[in-house]
Amino acid sequence: MPISPLPESEAADKAAQTYDRLKDMLGADAVPEAFLTLGRAPALLGDFYMNFKKFVWKEGKLDRRTKLLVALSVALKEASGPWTEFYTGLLKEEGVTEEEITDVAALVATNATYNTFFKFRKLSGTDLFDGLPVGLRAHAFQATSFDEKTVELINTAISDLNACEPCVAGHVKKARALGLEPEAILEAIQVTAVVYSGVQFTKSAQA
């Protein structure tokens, strides 16, 4: 069910209004490509714009740079080219380097490794595997250019998307031990939810 992008020249009414608001918010001359498919569903585009503005763009307990790093991790995890390009562009404006972007990708991949393992332990319905060695390397969790708080926020977001209950619990516990407030952790998940919705629609549009 491919859904074609809605060019600015064809946008009307609510879609056109939201396009203008997006450009004003981002200080852009044109609507970023990732948003154009959303334009075909004006109500969804409007919701996404408001959620993006409130939970991703505006600073709260987390600064914009941190929120955008979480956003990029979601786009990378879902292999969404348009959204990965969009968030990478915003992060480069924030001074994030290619090395740091690669570090985000490495964290996403390492979470896939551990989430798969620990999710199996939970889903197996038995204690047969408790206490047996994990045996998987995960040096990427420590070998990044980010501080521990940022790493744990990304880990929590990706573990949530991967539905690994023990992983989410472990990362939340560590995040709290590092001094992150519950509101800050929740902000990372709000970012995750918003970004995932945009990615999901784009993937559906391309199916």
Side-chain angles (χ1 to χ4, degrees):
M1 187 187 70
I3 301 171
S4 61
L6 178 67
E8 289 186 65
S9 59
E10 298 178 16
D13 303 324
K14 187 170 183 177
Q17 183 183 55
T18 306
Y19 277 178
D20 287 340
R21 289 176 174 174
L22 270 167
K23 289 189 291 184
D24 183 61
M25 178 182 67
L26 298 171
D29 295 327
V31 176
E33 177 189 351
F35 289 88
L36 295 178
T37 304
L38 285 167
R40 294 291 181 188
L44 179 64
L45 173 66
D47 286 344
F48 185 82
Y49 162 74
M50 293 300 295
N51 288 332
F52 178 89
K53 182 178 181 180
K54 180 177 181 180
F55 295 111
V56 183
W57 192 250
K58 287 188 175 180
E59 297 195 350
K61 293 292 183 180
L62 304 177
D63 59 36
R64 183 185 297 168
R65 180 180 182 275
T66 301
K67 289 185 172 188
L68 290 173
L69 287 168
V70 173
L72 176 62
S73 74
V74 176
L76 286 168
K77 188 267 175 190
E78 293 298 311
S80 174
W83 289 107
T84 294
E85 181 179 349
F86 173 67
Y87 291 115
T88 297
L90 292 180
L91 281 165
K92 286 184 175 179
E93 292 177 7
E94 295 285 329
V96 172
T97 65
E98 291 284 351
E99 179 186 0
E100 290 173 316
I101 289 168
T102 302
D103 284 345
V104 175
L107 287 171
V108 171
T110 305
N111 272 285
T113 305
Y114 264 55
N115 294 163
T116 300
F117 181 88
F118 285 104
K119 189 162 56 176
F120 167 75
R121 275 190 175 176
K122 180 71 175 180
L123 292 173
S124 68
T126 177
D127 60 2
L128 286 173
F129 308 103
D130 294 352
L132 294 180
V134 177
L136 299 166
R137 294 170 64 89
H139 290 134
F141 282 146
Q142 289 79 40
T144 80
S145 48
F146 305 124
D147 59 58
E148 288 187 273
K149 290 181 179 180
T150 301
V151 170
E152 286 310 310
L153 290 170
I154 292 173
N155 290 344
T156 303
I158 300 303
S159 294
D160 179 39
L161 287 177
N162 286 332
C164 180
E165 181 182 336
C167 300
V168 172
H171 290 305
V172 167
K173 183 178 180 180
K174 185 170 181 182
R176 291 290 292 131
L178 291 169
L180 281 163
E181 300 174 11
E183 293 84 358
I185 299 169
L186 185 62
E187 275 191 8
I189 299 305
Q190 288 166 325
V191 170
T192 302
V194 172
V195 174
Y196 185 66
S197 69
V199 167
Q200 182 59 51
F201 186 82
T202 299
K203 290 173 69 174
S204 298
Q206 295 172 341

